[in-house]
Amino acid sequence: MTTRSPAAGPATVTWAGANARRLARQHLHPDAAAVASPFAEPGDAVAAMLGAHAQVLSAAELSVGLRGAGVTRTDVRTALWTDRTLVKTFGPRGTVHLLPAADLPLWTGALSAVPTVPNPFPKDARMTPDQVEAVVAAVGDALTGAELTIDELSDEVVARTGPWAGDLVMPGFQAMWPRWRQVLHLAGHRGALAYAPNRGRKATYTNPGCTPLPGAAALPALIERYLYAYGPATPAHLARWLAAPKRWAAERFAALAASGAIEEVTFGEDGPAWVVAGDTDFPDAPVRGVRLLPYFDAFAIASGPRERLFPGAAWERALGGGQAGNFPVLLVDGVVAGVWHQRRSGRRIAVTVEPLKPLSGARLRDLEGQVERVAAIMEGTAELTVGPVMVGPHA
C-alpha cells in the first residue's frame, strides 16, 4: 500500500496503483479479493461510477450490470422506471446519464454551479439570460405532473414564453430545431426536467420534483466524490469531465486544498495531482486479468491520464485520437488492449473481440468468462469470436 509519514511531503502514487484502486472501487477489478463487497443495487453501482452515460441506454445497462452482483438489464430498468431509484437526465458535459435519485439534489446543485462554455450558436440564434430563465421555468411548469414528448413540450414552452422560443434557428439532426432547445440540458441541470418512460418510440420528459442543493455546498461534495472515484486527478482532468473551463477548475482545487478537504500527491511521472484528504492508500499489486467495457463507460471516460489507459496503438484504435467512449473496449491487465462489438438476434448475442496483441490461453479463458457475464446481464446467450490481431489504427 502507498503510505507516508506526515513530515515526508506529498505521497507518491504510481499509475498502476491508481488504476488498480479505481477499478476496485468500481468493482471492475479482475481480482475479486480486491473488491470489498458487491453492489447489490443498480443505484449503488451508478453512485460509485459517478453516473452511467445513457445516450445509448443498453450501454448504460451493461455498465451498471458489470459493476453489480447478478444485476441484469431488467434490474436497471426496474430501478429506473418502477422503483425510481435511478433517474435518466442530463449529467456531466450536458450528456444523458443515469444518476441515483437520492443524489439528484447534489448533482443538480453542483452542475448548476458549473460555468457554461461559450455559446456555439450564431448570434441570431442565441438567447438572452432572461430568455434562458423564462424557458427553464416554462419547462419545469409544463412538465409538473406530466409526461410530454419533445414536440408537446415545445408547444407548451412557446405558449408560456413567446413565439421567439419556437424560432427554427438551431441546427439539429437533418432539421432545424426551435430556439429554446439549446437549454434543454440546462433544465435538467436545474432539476426541472428528467426523462420519463418512452411512449412507443418517442422519448418523454417529466419534472422530477427536485430542489437542487446550494451550489456552494454541492459542488465541493461532487468534486470530492470525483477524486474518490478517479483520483489522483488534476484540475485539467476535472475540467474535461465536466466540460468546464480549466482556470475555473484550478480555482476550485485551490479552494478545496486551502480548506484541507483535498491534498496533493505526486502522480508518478505526471507530476502533482490531488486526492481526498487522507485518502492516500493505494494497492501495490498490479492488475491482472480481462474486462469488457461498453460504449461510453464511465471508467474509460473519467480515468486519467488517458495516454496511460489507452497506451500505444490503443490511442488511435480505441480512442480515436482523444475521444473516449466511441468504442467498447477490451481491458487486459487494467489498460485498453483492443475493442469489441456485439450483434443481437433474439437471445443470441454474437460478440467479436479484436485484440491489439495475441491473447494467451489464460487470457482467452478469462475473456470467455467475461462474454458469458455480458450475456447474463443482457439476458441472452453469447457466442464469442476473437478477431484477427489489429496492428495500427486501421487494421
Side-chain angles (χ1 to χ4, degrees):
M1 305 293 285
T2 302
T3 58
R4 82 191 197 289
S5 66
T12 296
V13 181
T14 65
W15 157 254
N19 196 43
R21 193 174 81 169
R22 293 166 183 168
L23 287 163
R25 287 185 170 176
Q26 294 193 32
H27 293 193
L28 293 174
H29 199 295
D31 184 358
V35 178
S37 58
F39 295 127
E41 300 296 333
D44 296 334
V46 173
M49 73 174 92
L50 288 189
H53 193 288
Q55 193 72 44
V56 179
L57 187 56
S58 60
E61 293 166 351
L62 186 52
S63 279
V64 178
L66 287 169
R67 292 163 169 83
V71 173
T72 68
R73 64 176 184 171
T74 294
D75 295 324
V76 178
R77 295 172 184 177
T78 299
L80 180 58
W81 305 126
T82 303
D83 298 339
R84 303 298 175 101
T85 55
L86 291 178
V87 178
K88 182 181 177 183
T89 188
F90 293 92
R93 305 173 301 284
T95 54
V96 180
H97 276 68
L98 301 185
L99 302 175
D103 292 340
L104 194 58
L106 184 147
W107 274 100
T108 53
L111 293 175
S112 294
V114 176
T116 56
V117 298
N119 193 312
F121 300 109
K123 183 177 179 180
D124 291 344
R126 298 175 188 174
M127 297 164 56
T128 68
D130 287 344
Q131 288 175 330
V132 169
E133 295 304 319
V135 166
V136 172
V139 168
D141 290 343
L143 293 177
T144 299
E147 295 180 356
L148 305 179
T149 66
I150 193 65
D151 292 334
E152 293 167 345
L153 178 56
S154 190
D155 291 342
E156 292 290 338
V157 169
V158 172
R160 284 169 164 79
T161 55
W164 57 266
D167 292 340
L168 300 177
V169 296
M170 261 193 74
F173 296 112
Q174 300 179 338
M176 297 299 286
W177 289 344
R179 186 188 308 273
W180 76 269
R181 287 276 299 269
Q182 61 192 275
V183 296
L184 184 70
H185 72 283
L186 182 60
H189 286 176
R190 299 277 189 87
L193 172 147
Y195 282 78
N198 280 7
R199 189 189 304 165
R201 293 189 175 184
K202 292 185 176 181
T204 69
Y205 304 90
T206 191
N207 187 330
C210 169
T211 300
L213 293 174
L219 188 58
L222 182 62
I223 294 174
E224 289 183 42
R225 291 191 185 195
Y226 167 78
L227 290 177
Y228 182 83
Y230 298 106
T234 67
H237 295 152
L238 176 72
R240 183 179 60 201
W241 182 64
L242 289 175
K246 291 182 180 179
R247 177 178 294 182
W248 172 87
E251 292 169 350
R252 302 286 74 73
F253 271 52
L256 287 169
S259 72
I262 67 175
E263 66 176 277
E264 181 181 329
V265 298
T266 300
F267 193 13
E269 299 176 355
D270 298 296
W274 281 260
V275 297
V276 175
D279 190 28
T280 55
D281 287 344
F282 291 83
D284 293 325
V287 177
R288 292 285 182 264
V290 173
R291 282 289 182 266
L292 295 175
L293 300 180
Y295 288 108
F296 295 103
D297 188 85
F299 176 80
I301 289 176
S303 293
R306 281 186 177 167
E307 58 268 24
R308 295 189 179 274
L309 185 61
F310 293 81
W315 181 267
E316 290 295 335
R317 184 61 184 90
L319 192 60
Q323 178 61 52
N326 287 339
F327 299 95
V329 296
L330 164 71
L331 298 183
V332 176
D333 297 343
V335 298
V336 176
V339 299
W340 65 284
H341 54 89
Q342 59 177 305
R343 179 176 296 176
R344 184 166 191 143
S345 177
R347 284 186 54 82
R348 178 178 172 272
I349 303 173
V351 175
T352 301
V353 179
E354 300 175 0
L356 286 165
K357 296 179 180 180
L359 300 177
S360 68
R363 294 288 182 263
L364 287 171
R365 289 190 292 274
D366 284 351
L367 182 58
E368 290 172 355
Q370 281 296 293
V371 169
E372 290 175 0
R373 186 175 182 191
V374 167
I377 293 166
M378 303 310 289
E379 299 171 330
T381 57
E383 296 181 9
L384 169 63
T385 299
V386 178
V389 173
M390 300 179 294
V391 180
H394 305 296

